[in-house]
Amino acid sequence: SGSRTNIAIKIFGDDLNELYRIANDVHDVIEGVPGIGDLVVEPLIETPQLKVVARREMLARYGIPVNEFAQFVETALGGIHVSDVYINEMKFPLVLRYNDETRSSADGIRAALIDTYDGGKVPLSLVADISSSSGPHEINRENVRRKIVVSVNAAGRDVGGLANDIRREVESHITLPENYRIEYGGQFESASRAGRRIVFASLLAILAVFMVLYNEFRNSTLSWIVLLNLPLALIGGIFAIRFTSGVISIPGIIGFITLFGIATRNGILLISRYLHLEDEDTDLKARVIHGSADRLNPILMTALTAALALVPLAMGGQKPGNEIQSPMAVVILGGLLSSTLLNIFVIPVVYFITNRGSKKMSEPKPISDSNN
């Protein structure tokens, strides 16, 4: 976007003064939006200038083409690089232009001599109007159109939500003249693109996890039961964000992806134990109770180990260099808490309900006749 700020409100048009007026109107409209930290209108600094405007009738009288006039002004006042001079293996540019005494004052420029068609010379003031004025220090353009930028940095709020609020305020209060338009850029564009890519990658990861589970259990119902841990983990992760920063950032989304793997593992531990006990022809209710009790310690131990390792990262969010690790650790901690507690109750209940109608009926064994 050409701007290092979180949000860049770019106003395009032809007249610089009109652009500056619109930019200040935008500033006044959005300065009350919650979450704005820094709000700066790109300064339009006026600097003194000396305008040299050709008199075309006088140029024609003295036989001076306009392009030669422009080349003379550029060479005499600005200078032109004609060669290089080497001194002791060092290169210095050789620039052709008038001396500093002539170029440093308006009178000296007016008295500068320009060649005519017949080899004569006339003062520059005779074929051009030379006047003092002021103009902008610089003119920024994008795609050949002039622009001025209103820079916004977020403070204590997600950049995407702030950009949407700013867009609504501008669209409802600012009326643009014809051939003027507003575009929005800045770092939030990159964050939005990264967020969309990570969400797409998350969906692919969930699909890949389901395929792996189906390949293991050969049962789509059991695979979906294991994936129930994902919303259970989401509950804790979202509440952890809500009561800490309140911002769903890219590190937070990465934390959710990591959390999905941990939560899925807990479900696999339970389901695999249930299936192992099923081979022993145990009753469904006893199988669920016994299997859940067997896997309670491993699930709690793995969750506690991961949580203890993440606590220092979550607590050190204000330390330099910890801006990425801390939001990710907060999400994983919250998701571990909810998925571990709910996994112990929800997965056994769902497994019991889905398998209640398909429990095996034990067939009576034939009575052997000792006389036969």
Side-chain angles (χ1 to χ4, degrees):
S1 65
S3 176
R4 298 181 180 180
T5 56
N6 296 144
I7 304 171
I9 307 172
K10 299 182 287 187
I11 307 167
F12 294 88
D14 297 323
D15 185 78
L16 288 176
N17 293 324
E18 184 68 13
L19 287 175
Y20 194 65
R21 182 192 68 78
I22 297 173
N24 282 283
D25 291 344
V26 170
H27 176 280
D28 296 338
V29 165
I30 68 174
E31 64 178 349
V33 175
I36 290 182
D38 301 323
L39 179 60
V40 179
V41 177
E42 182 181 345
L44 194 63
I45 302 174
E46 295 285 333
T47 57
Q49 297 179 348
L50 197 64
K51 288 188 176 180
V52 180
V53 181
R55 298 178 184 173
R56 292 183 176 268
E57 67 281 359
M58 297 301 294
L59 291 177
R61 176 179 300 180
Y62 289 100
I64 304 174
V66 176
N67 63 329
E68 291 186 7
F69 169 80
Q71 185 178 7
F72 168 80
V73 173
E74 179 183 2
T75 303
L77 304 182
I80 183 172
H81 177 258
V82 294
S83 183
D84 295 307
V85 177
Y86 293 88
I87 301 176
N88 296 330
E89 299 182 356
M90 299 180 64
K91 184 174 71 172
F92 299 91
L94 180 60
V95 178
L96 176 64
R97 64 188 178 193
Y98 274 5
N99 57 30
D100 293 339
E101 289 76 10
T102 301
R103 297 167 52 249
S104 61
S105 64
D107 293 336
I109 293 175
R110 292 189 182 95
L113 300 178
I114 183 172
D115 296 331
T116 61
Y117 76 99
D118 57 358
K121 294 181 182 293
V122 294
L124 186 61
S125 59
L126 191 62
V127 295
D129 292 323
I130 303 173
S131 60
S132 298
S133 65
S134 62
H137 175 69
E138 63 179 5
I139 300 176
N140 292 322
R141 298 177 184 268
E142 185 174 320
N143 296 327
V144 196
R145 292 296 305 277
R146 290 181 175 182
K147 73 170 183 178
I148 191 169
V149 178
V150 181
S151 302
V152 182
N153 282 320
R157 187 179 175 187
D158 65 296
V159 180
L162 178 60
N164 292 332
D165 288 350
I166 289 176
R167 193 191 303 268
R168 283 194 294 267
E169 289 294 325
V170 171
E171 290 177 353
S172 60
H173 294 91
I174 300 296
T175 301
L176 297 177
E178 188 177 359
N179 296 326
Y180 287 78
R181 74 178 193 277
I182 293 178
E183 293 183 2
Y184 298 87
Q187 295 179 1
F188 85 96
E189 287 182 311
S190 300
S192 300
R193 287 194 298 268
R196 288 192 295 268
R197 285 195 292 266
I198 290 179
V199 170
F200 180 71
S202 302
L203 295 177
L204 288 180
I206 293 173
L207 178 61
V209 169
F210 175 80
M211 294 176 64
V212 171
L213 292 174
Y214 183 80
N215 182 68
E216 175 66 23
F217 297 126
R218 297 297 178 180
N219 189 312
S220 60
T221 302
L222 295 179
S223 301
W224 285 117
I225 292 175
V226 174
L227 288 181
L228 277 177
N229 283 278
L230 303 189
L232 302 182
L234 279 174
I235 294 173
I238 292 174
F239 272 98
I241 293 176
R242 173 65 181 83
F243 291 110
T244 53
S245 64
V247 177
I248 300 179
S249 59
I250 301 299
I253 298 176
I254 297 174
F256 278 115
I257 298 175
T258 307
L259 186 59
F260 289 165
I262 301 174
T264 304
R265 179 202 57 196
N266 293 340
I268 294 174
L269 287 174
L270 284 176
I271 299 299
S272 62
R273 183 56 178 165
Y274 297 156
L275 294 179
H276 178 73
L277 294 175
E278 184 179 351
D279 296 336
E280 301 177 2
D281 279 339
T282 56
D283 178 70
L284 175 61
K285 183 176 181 180
R287 185 165 69 242
V288 170
I289 295 175
H290 183 57
S292 301
D294 286 348
R295 288 294 178 259
L296 179 60
N297 284 340
I299 290 175
L300 292 179
M301 287 176 60
T302 54
L304 185 61
T305 303
L308 291 176
L310 292 170
V311 166
L313 297 179
M315 299 294 291
Q318 303 301 322
K319 294 181 179 180
N322 211 22
E323 296 84 359
I324 295 178
Q325 297 174 347
S326 180
M328 185 170 59
V330 167
V331 169
I332 297 175
L333 277 175
L336 274 176
L337 179 62
S338 65
S339 65
T340 302
L341 295 179
L342 296 177
N343 175 77
I344 299 173
F345 299 99
V346 175
I347 299 301
V349 171
V350 174
Y351 179 82
F352 179 82
I353 294 174
T354 55
N355 288 271
R356 185 170 46 187
S358 60
K359 60 181 179 179
K360 296 179 181 180
M361 297 297 295
S362 58
E363 297 181 356
K365 296 181 181 181
I367 301 175
S368 60
D369 189 353
S370 59
N371 296 325
N372 294 334

